[in-house]
Each structure stands twice: as C-alpha cells, then as structure tokens.
C-alpha cells in the first residue's frame, strides 16, 4: 500500500498559518507594531497606502537585529520570547508564537532593513511568498523598518473578500488605537496615503486618550482605581450622560494587552445601574493587572481573548469599582427617592416625649341621609365630615341619636336604585347618534393637538393618535431620499462659518464620505482637526447643526455600512435633527396637511428609525376608559 500522509512544504504550511493569523491588513499592522514595542522602541511610525492593500510600512527605533536574527525571524515558530512551555504563563511581551513574520512573508512581498544599536551596517532582506529573493548589507539609523506590499498577492480568494478601503482603514486605525492606548509612553505616527492621521508624543494615559479621541473627551472622563490581592484596576470611564447608541470607545487591557470580554463588559454596564438610557453603551478605558500565572493569553490566534483563573471575583470587584467611581465624583444621583420626608421630625419634636395618637369616633354617625337625620341630627363639633361627625376634630360626640333609633326612608332608597340603574344603562349603551364617524384620511376629519407633539384624529373605528415629530420625520425623510437620488439637496450659505471639533480618525471618515455629504448640502474646509462649515442643508436650522453632525459622525465612524445603508443613515440623521424640535401649535390646515402627507407614504406606520408613528384606539377602548 502506498503512503498517503506526507509533510507539507514550508510555503504551504506558512500560508495555512497566515489564514489564522493574518485575516486583513489590520492583522499585519497589529503584529508588526507589537514586535516594534517588544523591541523597546520609543517611537513607531505606521504608513499605509490604499488601506494597507498596496503598502504597509512600520519604522521603529528599537534595538534592531543581527544578520542571523534577521534571517531567522522569518522562520516558523522562531521567537526570542519563550524557551520553555512554562514561559507561556509568565509572558511579559506581546508576540511569542513566532508565526507573524513567517505568515506575512508567505502572502506578501516583504522588505526588512534592520540595524543593531552601535552598528553602522545592518541587514536588508527581501522575501516574496516565503522565498528569499535578496539579502544584502544596508545602512540606516538604529532600529527596524519593515515594508509589506501587495498583501494576499498569491491568495486571490482572500484578497477578494477584503472590504472597501474605508472599512479596512477603520480596522487599521482601531488596531493602532489599541496599541497606542496600551503604551502611552511610546510616541506614534499614523499616516494614510501621505496624510497624517495621528502624531502622538509620549504622554500620560489621560492625554493619550484626549489626543486620540479629541479635546472634548477630557471633560467626559472619570478616573477609576482599585487594588486588591487578586487584581489591580486603573483607567477611565466616561460619564453616563455621554453614553452612545452604538458601541464606540470600549477598551479592556490586561497586563498591557488588549482583550475582548462580554462578561466584564456586563460588569461595567451593571456598574452604571440605570444611569444610562436603555440600548445605550458607556465608553471606558479599563486596565487590569493580574499575576501572570492566573492568566492564559494563548487561547485565540489573534490573542484578543484571554482566560482568567478567577473571573467571577474580578467581575464583582470591577462592578464595585465602577459604582464607587461614579459615586465619588458625584455622577450617581445623591437623592434617595425612597426617603419619606413625612417621617422626619423637627428639632422641637425630637426633644418632646413620644405620645400615642388617639382617634375618637362618633358612634351615632350615619353616612346615609335619612328622614331622622333631616329632622333631628345636629353637629356642633369642628372639622366634621358630612351632616354628622364621623371623625370629630374636637373629639366630642355631638348627636344624641344612636343607630337603633334611625329608620331609613323607603322612598329615598327606591330613588337611589332607580338612579343607579339609569347610570349603568347609559354607560353600557352607546347612543346611535354618537357613532357616526367620517371616513379616515379626509381633510374634514376632526383633529385635536395634544401636548404639542400628539395629534388626535377622529376616524370611523374610534380615534387615531399620531406622533407629530415622527410623522414629520417620515415625511421629510421620504422627500429627501427621493430628491437625493435625482439631484443634490439644496444648501444654505451661513453668514458666519460654523466650527465643529472632530477627531483625526473622524476627519478621515468624513473625507472618505465627502461625496455623499456634499450631496446633502454640506460645504466645508479644514483648520487642522476643526471642521469649518460654510453651508448646511436648507431645512436644517443652525441651532441643530451640532446634533445632526454628532449623529452623522457616529454613523460613519462606528458602523460598517455599504453605499445604500450609508445614504439611509445620513438622510435619517438629517431628517431627525431637522424635525426633532419643531413642537408648536398647528393650525387646522397644517393638521390636515400633516395627516394627508403622512398617508401618502408607503411606510406611514413607522418612522425611518423604526419607531411607531400612530396607533388606533377603538370606540370600545375609549368607553372602557370611563367604565
């Protein structure tokens, strides 16, 4: 029998490993920057072209490598980080598997130049598809420069599955942010197609967060700190009022390594404990330090998942730390809504003896009016109820009559039952002349505006309750969507330019979507990271421009959207901001127009954001409210 099992060639084995380690350009960025950090670099530059598909270059001032180490670094499972299996439980570095460079070299063209400290001459190596094409001496400053070009050139299926440049750039920036937040003591530079996105100097953690996410973040941060034998927790959380509808800046780090954990995320959200609105998410930058032997980081190819020896206890500590931080900095409510002020005693009452309250009841009190009451019952006490004195304010019985001496009037009781029957009959029977309603959707239908934002419309089946803001949002959204497909939306020139501070990554996303934004009616220029608007959509009032921009930035920054979804989200943000504050008294003509225009929409029951616009209340339900 012939043998069918054989060893795979190194180039195929490397491509298989690359399929696990290198999923997209951001994976290359992560591995190479982590290697630069492990090399002791104090400044790291990342330059990418075409979202990393064309070129990724990492330049660092680390300790560099010798000629032999440079060649060995491209071999599989070659690493300087571990020498024995026990080292996996005492890791202090980022990379340790020795697969990164070998995997990258298997699916791209790689050029590396490296010079050790104190040396004048270094080594330059060129590799394509795991094959060394050139190795020669070179001269450069201390450190290492690695260029990765034509990623996935020999794996076309993987390259075809890459997303758009905008999406891939987002992933690269996210990986960059994670490492920059882990090492604020290291300076970083990030550029895309020659444009500088970030230029970060060595700084403290708070300044690093502000440098990455904008000046406005400084006032949003609340520091957290807790140290136990099990875990040390430091970092910052964001105030509840700045929570978002999308998952934004949420970062967990353990022993200077980024990781994801839904269990600990739940601990953070629980710590806010009803301080944020439903379906909103808080931002946080939380750093955990645990003994290395209680942590396993070797459970996922990308090392973004870890296992804790005592995760349940850390969960409780983390949750308590969040609560303590929010309370310490007066973020949590200080009012006790369960407190009953009527139980509070004044100073005079606190010093007086406790006395049991007394209640005196008039045994002759009869709540029913009878002929005997009308004839002989009198009341001389103060503060009494009704004709008699059930609870006498003076505490004295004022009637000489007793219950035995009272005889009810037969005629009055018969009248009582007669009236009750008539009332019940009126409540259960609907007069025929009160159910003749006109057909709905007619301009002549009776309408009433309630509390400025609700419209009550009489229809044949009962009443129709319409949410005015949501109806306006639906109408405007449909109009804008139809117009957007045909021609650009008209903009209004501003008398004074409108300035809006923006993060460097948000600036990149804004420019990536500039075509759609200009068709919406925006026109702008830049002053560093400040967006200066000279024109906004004509239906958008100036005082609501910030609300609209916040929504747009949130959508284009934190959501991966295709072209159709992007247009929907942009117009949704614009229509919501343009109609959200128009609560005013409507004339009869405006009410008629609103209802008529609303029912011209195919989606008149729901707003563009999916909220219910109207609800029908039947005649039976209306009468049930009175039963």
């Amino acid at each position: 029998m012939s043998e069918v099992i054989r060893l795979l060639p190194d180039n195929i084995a490397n491509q298989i490993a690359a399929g696990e380690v290198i999923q997209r350009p951001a994976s290359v960025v992560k591995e190479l920057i982590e290697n630069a950090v492990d090399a002791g670099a104090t400044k790291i530059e990342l330059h990418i072209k075409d979202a990393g598909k064309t070129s990724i270059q990492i330049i660092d001032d680390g300790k560099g490598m010798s000629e032999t180490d440079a060649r060995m670094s491209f071999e599989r499972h070659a690493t300087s980080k571990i020498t024995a299996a026990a080292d996996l439980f005492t890791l202090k570095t980022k990379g340790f598997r020795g697969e990164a460079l070998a995997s990258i070299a298997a699916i791209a063209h790689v050029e590396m130049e490296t010079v050790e400290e104190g040396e004048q001459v270094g080594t330059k190596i060129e590799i394509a598809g795991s094959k060394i094409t050139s190795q020669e001496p070179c001269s450069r400053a201390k450190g290492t420069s690695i260029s990765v070009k034509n990623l996935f050139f020999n794996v076309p299926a993987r390259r075809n599955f890459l997303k758009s440049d905008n999406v891939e750039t987002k992933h690269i920036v996210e990986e960059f942010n994670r490492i920059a937040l882990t090492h604020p003591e290291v300076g970083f530079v990030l550029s895309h197609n020659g444009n500088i996105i970030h230029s970060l100097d060595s700084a403290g953690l708070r300044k690093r967060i502000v440098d990455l996410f904008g000046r406005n973040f400084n006032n949003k941060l609340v520091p957290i700190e807790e140290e136990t034998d099990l875990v040390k927790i430091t970092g910052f959380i964001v105030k509840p009022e700045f929570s978002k509808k999308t998952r934004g800046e949420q970062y967990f780090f353990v022993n200077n390594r980024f990781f994801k954990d839904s269990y600990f995320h739940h601990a953070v959200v629980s710590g806010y404990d009803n301080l944020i609105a439903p379906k909103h998410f808080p931002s946080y930058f939380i750093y955990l330090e645990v003994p290395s032997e209680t942590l396993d980081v070797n459970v996922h190819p990308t090392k973004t998942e870890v296992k804790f020896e005592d995760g349940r206890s850390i969960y409780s500590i983390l949750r308590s730390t969040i609560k303590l931080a929010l309370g310490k900095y007066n973020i949590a409510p200080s009012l006790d809504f369960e407190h009953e002020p009527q139980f509070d005693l004044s100073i005079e009452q606190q010093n007086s003896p406790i006395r049991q309250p007394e209640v005196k009841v008039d045994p002759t009190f009869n709540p029913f009016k009878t002929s005997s009451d009308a004839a002989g019952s009198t009341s001389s006490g103060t503060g009494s109820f009704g004709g008699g004195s059930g609870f006498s304010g003076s505490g004295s019985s004022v009637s000489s009559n007793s219950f035995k001496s009272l005889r009810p009037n037969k005629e009055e009781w018969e009248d009582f039952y007669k009236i009750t029957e008539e009332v019940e009959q009126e409540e259960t029977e609907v007069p025929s002349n009160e159910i003749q309603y006109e057909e709905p959707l007619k301009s002549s239908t009776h309408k009433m505006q309630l509390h400025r934002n609700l419209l009550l419309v009489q229809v044949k089946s009962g009443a129709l309750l319409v949410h005015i803001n949501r109806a306006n949002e639906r109408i405007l959204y449909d109009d804008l969507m139809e117009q957007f497909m045909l021609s650009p939306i008209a903009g209004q020139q501003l008398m004074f330019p409108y300035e809006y501070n923006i993060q460097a990554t948000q600036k990149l996303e804004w420019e990536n979507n500039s075509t759609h934004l200009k068709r919406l009616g925006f026109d702008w220029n830049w002053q560093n990271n400040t967006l200066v608007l000279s024109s906004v959509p004509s239906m958008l009032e100036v005082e609501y421009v910030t609300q609209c921009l916040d929504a747009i930035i949130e959508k284009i920054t934190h959501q991966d959207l295709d072209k159709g979804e992007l247009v929907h989200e942009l117009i949704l943000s614009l229509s919501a901001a343009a109609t959200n504050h128009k609560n005013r008294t409507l004339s009869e003509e405006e009410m008629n127009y609103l209802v008529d225009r609303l029912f011209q929409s195919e989606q008149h029951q729901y707003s563009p954001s999916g909220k219910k616009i109207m609800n029908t209340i039947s005649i039976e339900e209306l009468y049930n409210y009175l039963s």
Side-chain angles (χ1 to χ4, degrees):
M1 174 180 264
S2 61
E3 291 78 11
V4 296
I5 298 178
R6 57 188 178 274
L7 291 175
L8 288 173
D10 286 343
N11 62 326
I12 297 179
N14 287 337
Q15 284 194 19
I16 294 174
E20 295 182 348
V21 179
I22 310 302
Q23 301 173 352
R24 57 187 354 133
S27 304
V28 176
V29 170
K30 174 182 182 296
E31 298 292 344
L32 295 184
I33 295 183
E34 286 183 346
N35 284 344
V37 172
D38 288 341
T42 60
K43 186 174 182 179
I44 301 173
E45 298 181 16
L46 168 61
H47 306 285
I48 60 176
K49 292 182 179 179
D50 302 326
K53 299 174 184 177
T54 301
S55 172
I56 300 172
Q57 184 179 23
I58 307 289
I59 304 173
D60 69 69
D61 61 352
K63 56 187 178 183
M65 290 180 284
S66 66
E67 181 179 357
T68 302
D69 286 345
R71 176 64 186 83
M72 285 293 296
S73 65
F74 288 98
E75 297 294 332
R76 286 196 68 200
H77 307 306
T79 178
S80 62
K81 314 298 174 58
I82 60 175
T83 57
D87 295 339
L88 291 173
F89 300 99
T90 58
L91 290 171
K92 302 294 183 183
T93 58
K94 304 290 184 184
F96 55 87
R97 291 178 175 174
E99 292 184 357
L101 287 179
S103 298
I104 295 170
I107 55 174
H109 295 92
V110 180
E111 179 183 302
M112 180 175 72
E113 296 181 359
T114 181
V115 176
E116 287 186 294
E117 185 174 9
E119 299 292 335
Q120 300 295 324
V121 178
T123 303
K124 178 180 179 180
I125 298 178
E126 295 181 4
I127 299 180
S130 297
K131 296 181 180 180
I132 297 179
T133 58
S134 173
Q135 180 173 345
E136 59 186 17
C138 71
S139 179
R140 54 161 283 119
K142 176 182 75 76
T144 302
S145 172
I146 299 181
S147 295
V148 180
K149 300 178 180 179
N150 304 321
L151 190 63
F152 300 122
F153 80 98
N154 56 353
V155 191
R158 179 61 63 89
R159 188 176 182 91
N160 291 337
F161 276 97
L162 292 178
K163 303 294 184 180
S164 65
D165 286 359
N166 291 347
V167 174
E168 295 300 337
T169 302
K170 284 183 183 179
H171 288 288
I172 291 175
V173 172
E174 179 61 21
E175 291 292 350
F176 176 88
N177 289 345
R178 293 171 181 177
I179 301 176
L181 288 170
T182 311
H183 297 279
E185 74 282 358
V186 178
F188 289 92
V189 174
L190 169 61
S191 71
H192 181 233
N193 292 337
N195 299 318
I196 300 295
I197 299 176
H198 285 301
S199 181
L200 309 174
D201 295 328
S202 175
L205 177 58
R206 189 181 193 113
K207 188 176 188 304
R208 175 57 55 88
I209 294 174
V210 172
D211 288 343
L212 283 173
F213 301 104
R215 294 178 299 177
N216 296 335
F217 244 80
N218 189 41
N219 296 326
K220 302 178 182 179
L221 300 176
V222 177
I224 61 173
E225 185 173 2
E226 184 64 53
E227 185 170 2
T228 67
D229 294 336
L230 184 63
V231 62
K232 178 181 179 182
I233 302 176
T234 56
F236 295 91
I237 57 176
V238 172
K239 297 177 182 178
E241 58 266 31
F242 299 107
S243 60
K244 302 178 180 179
K245 292 184 178 180
T246 57
R247 296 178 183 270
E249 297 77 20
Q250 298 178 344
Y251 296 92
F252 277 121
F253 304 94
V254 56
N255 295 355
N256 282 339
R257 184 188 300 275
F258 172 82
F259 73 99
K260 299 177 181 179
D261 198 305
S262 58
Y263 185 56
F264 287 165
H265 171 76
H266 184 270
V268 175
V269 175
S270 299
Y272 279 81
D273 197 18
N274 298 324
L275 293 177
I276 57 178
K279 297 183 180 180
H280 280 62
F281 302 94
S283 299
Y284 50 79
F285 309 85
I286 298 178
Y287 296 76
L288 309 178
E289 291 184 28
V290 300
S292 299
E293 60 273 13
T294 65
L295 181 69
D296 185 2
V297 300
N298 194 31
V299 297
H300 193 273
T302 61
K303 301 187 284 291
T304 57
E305 297 179 10
V306 298
K307 285 186 177 180
F308 293 84
E309 188 176 273
D310 194 357
R312 182 171 296 182
S313 298
I314 296 176
Y315 175 98
S316 300
I317 297 172
L318 178 59
R319 183 173 181 269
S320 300
T321 302
I322 299 298
K323 284 181 170 290
L324 178 63
L326 293 174
K328 181 178 179 181
Y329 288 88
N330 297 321
I331 305 300
S334 58
L335 296 178
D336 182 6
F337 294 101
E338 302 296 329
H339 177 68
E340 297 290 347
Q342 57 264 39
F343 293 118
D344 294 341
L345 298 176
S346 63
I347 298 177
E348 295 79 4
Q349 291 174 319
Q350 292 176 3
N351 298 326
S352 62
I354 299 176
R355 184 172 56 185
Q356 183 176 357
E358 296 181 1
V359 177
K360 295 183 180 181
V361 180
D362 180 7
T364 64
F365 170 70
N366 186 355
F368 297 100
K369 181 180 179 182
T370 65
S371 57
S372 300
D373 292 331
S377 177
T378 60
S379 176
S380 61
T382 59
S384 62
F385 296 93
S389 179
F391 293 93
S392 174
S394 62
S396 60
S397 298
V398 295
S399 176
S400 59
N401 297 327
S402 64
F403 285 109
K404 294 181 180 180
S405 63
L406 298 177
R407 289 183 295 180
N409 187 314
K410 181 179 179 181
E411 290 76 9
E412 291 181 353
W413 282 108
E414 291 177 350
D415 292 340
F416 171 78
Y417 284 112
K418 182 178 180 181
I419 294 173
T420 303
E421 291 175 357
E422 293 176 354
V423 172
E424 290 178 351
Q425 185 177 6
E426 289 179 358
E427 291 179 344
T428 55
E429 296 182 2
V430 181
S432 59
N433 60 351
E434 292 184 11
I435 61 174
Q436 300 301 322
Y437 295 104
E438 297 179 3
E439 291 292 331
L441 316 186
K442 301 293 185 181
S443 297
S444 58
T445 301
H446 298 300
K447 302 175 182 66
M448 177 184 297
Q449 187 173 2
L450 305 175
H451 301 289
R452 290 185 174 270
N453 203 24
L454 294 174
L455 192 62
L456 192 63
V457 185
Q458 178 181 313
V459 293
K460 187 174 182 180
S461 60
L464 185 68
L465 193 62
V466 179
H467 194 290
I468 296 176
N469 271 353
R470 295 174 186 174
N472 280 322
E473 183 181 337
R474 165 54 67 186
I475 295 170
L476 180 59
Y477 173 87
D478 290 348
D479 290 344
L480 291 177
M481 184 64 75
E482 182 178 0
Q483 180 181 348
F484 185 88
M485 298 304 176
L486 300 175
S487 61
I489 295 173
Q492 57 174 329
Q493 293 294 321
L494 300 178
M495 183 176 297
F496 301 101
Y498 190 94
E499 296 185 356
Y500 181 83
N501 293 325
I502 200 170
Q503 302 174 19
T505 52
Q506 294 171 346
K507 176 181 177 180
L508 177 64
E509 294 298 332
W510 183 277
E511 284 298 320
N512 288 338
N513 296 284
S514 60
T515 301
H516 293 319
L517 292 169
K518 288 182 178 180
R519 284 182 64 86
L520 282 180
F522 291 102
D523 193 15
W524 67 88
N525 54 59
W526 295 99
Q527 292 181 1
N528 296 324
N529 284 338
T530 300
L531 178 66
V532 183
L533 293 174
S534 57
S535 175
V536 298
S538 57
M539 77 294 302
L540 184 62
E541 298 180 15
V542 176
E543 55 264 39
Y544 305 126
V545 171
T546 298
Q547 175 189 336
C548 182
L549 293 177
D550 288 343
I552 290 176
I553 290 295
E554 188 74 17
K555 301 289 175 57
I556 65 177
T557 304
H558 297 299
Q559 297 184 17
D560 294 340
L561 305 170
D562 59 30
K563 183 177 180 180
E565 293 172 335
L566 177 63
V567 172
H568 161 73
E569 294 294 344
L570 292 177
I571 295 181
L572 172 60
S573 302
L574 177 56
S575 58
T579 61
N580 195 31
H581 299 278
K582 293 187 176 181
N583 293 340
R584 60 182 180 82
T585 303
L586 301 179
S587 65
E588 184 176 353
E589 291 77 10
E590 289 173 323
M591 295 182 196
N592 292 332
Y593 176 80
L594 177 67
V595 175
D596 291 343
R597 286 285 286 108
L598 176 62
F599 278 91
Q600 292 175 12
S601 172
E602 296 181 357
Q603 303 292 333
H604 58 265
Q605 294 184 346
Y606 294 93
S607 70
S609 56
K611 296 179 180 179
K612 203 168 186 178
I613 296 177
M614 62 181 67
N615 190 30
T616 302
I617 306 174
S618 66
I619 299 177
E620 290 76 12
E621 290 176 314
L622 291 173
Y623 276 101
N624 285 338
Y625 290 133
L626 301 176
S627 62

